[in-house]
Amino acid sequence: MRTYFDLTGRSALVTGAGAGIGAAVSEALAAAGASVLVTDISGEAAAKVADRINAAGGGKSSTAAAGKADSAALDVSDRGAAEAAAAQAAALTEGNLHIVVNNAGVTAPAMFPKLTDETFRLTFDIHVMGTFHVTQAALPHIPTDGTGRIINVTSAAGITGTLGQVNYSAAKAGLIGITKSLARELATKNIMVNALAPLAATPMTETIRTNEKFAANMMNRIPLKRWAEADEVAGAFVFMASDAASYITGQVLPVDGGMVM
């Protein structure tokens, strides 16, 4: 009988994984049996997450062998660093890198008249160029046996737009374009490319959650009327990384309490 969510024997590279959603996804993938390279611009933060995974025996679940974790400092805007991280992740499973989660991100909210060239370029450098660097570096290591997964992290901001985040919305919309175009290219290689649009209470969303105007606007848009915890959205990443998603590609899955429906 097929075990749909068992990631034993597979490796994963997760960017922006020193905290928040990236950390929760790293832990969830390890719990499903994957060997995970936890990366973050802060190598210290990444190492703490990897240590936590290893101390818990990979966060072992009842249905999968425990995964393991390693860590690396990674600035996704640095192509050389992306190539080194991809090779390090592939080495966890003797040369194959099965799962790439492009989660690294940054936010710099401001109303449009107050946006600067610097904050606009910053969101593109991290979200769009970072995803380009990491994915292109990872591609030579991704197997073509149907286990290869590229998972990009977009946002409702890239689907519907959001108040005070034109720069972030534009970058996240760019990731949707990357996802759909790359899914078409890599379908011939049996590599699935999808995007998730999660919403959770993380350090990255703190600015929005603590700004009265932004927070009220967001809460009015969420039917469930609350922010998720990071581990609530991590399961969707395990699903997309698993055999359960072997016939899904080029899709955007919102995990946002019903904000996009």
Side-chain angles (χ1 to χ4, degrees):
M1 185 175 180
R2 195 168 188 177
T3 306
Y4 285 100
F5 300 103
D6 186 356
L7 300 179
T8 303
R10 301 183 195 181
S11 61
L13 166 60
V14 185
T15 68
I21 289 174
V25 168
S26 297
E27 292 170 350
L29 292 173
S35 296
V36 183
L37 181 65
V38 181
T39 72
D40 195 90
I41 195 167
S42 168
E44 182 179 356
K48 287 181 179 178
V49 174
D51 288 346
R52 188 162 69 238
I53 290 170
N54 290 326
K60 185 175 181 179
S61 73
S62 60
T63 59
K68 60 183 179 181
D70 198 359
S71 66
L74 173 58
D75 177 352
V76 296
S77 67
D78 182 337
R79 175 176 289 278
E83 291 172 351
Q88 184 179 346
L92 293 174
T93 50
E94 301 180 347
N96 283 325
L97 174 51
H98 304 84
I99 303 157
V100 178
V101 180
N102 287 304
N103 172 70
V106 65
T107 184
M111 298 305 288
F112 187 73
K114 295 183 178 180
L115 281 174
T116 64
D117 285 3
E118 290 73 23
T119 55
F120 217 102
R121 289 195 182 101
L122 175 64
T123 55
F124 268 81
D125 284 346
I126 302 302
H127 295 275
V128 178
M129 292 304 296
T131 294
F132 170 60
H133 288 154
V134 172
T135 303
Q136 200 170 62
L139 193 56
H141 304 283
I142 299 178
T144 58
D145 62 357
T147 60
R149 303 284 190 275
I150 297 168
I151 303 170
N152 298 323
V153 180
T154 184
S155 164
I159 303 172
T160 65
T162 189
L163 180 69
Q165 289 192 303
V166 168
N167 54 345
Y168 182 77
S169 297
K172 288 302 194 182
L175 290 183
I176 294 173
I178 288 173
T179 298
K180 291 183 176 293
S181 293
L182 193 57
R184 292 185 182 278
E185 279 194 35
L186 298 184
T188 59
K189 297 182 181 296
N190 209 19
I191 297 171
M192 269 50 76
V193 186
N194 291 289
L196 270 69
L199 181 69
T202 67
M204 189 171 170
T205 60
E206 184 176 2
T207 300
I208 296 171
R209 290 183 289 112
T210 57
N211 179 292
E212 184 176 352
K213 185 176 182 180
F214 291 160
N217 177 66
M218 288 294 290
M219 200 53 57
N220 286 336
R221 297 171 61 195
I222 304 171
L224 289 184
K225 298 300 178 187
R226 66 179 180 86
W227 291 79
E229 295 301 320
D231 60 358
E232 286 185 86
V233 304
F237 287 81
V238 175
F239 163 67
M240 280 297 187
S242 74
D243 287 347
S246 62
Y247 200 56
I248 300 173
T249 197
Q251 303 304 307
V252 180
L253 175 63
V255 189
D256 60 6
M259 185 162 62
V260 176
M261 64 168 71

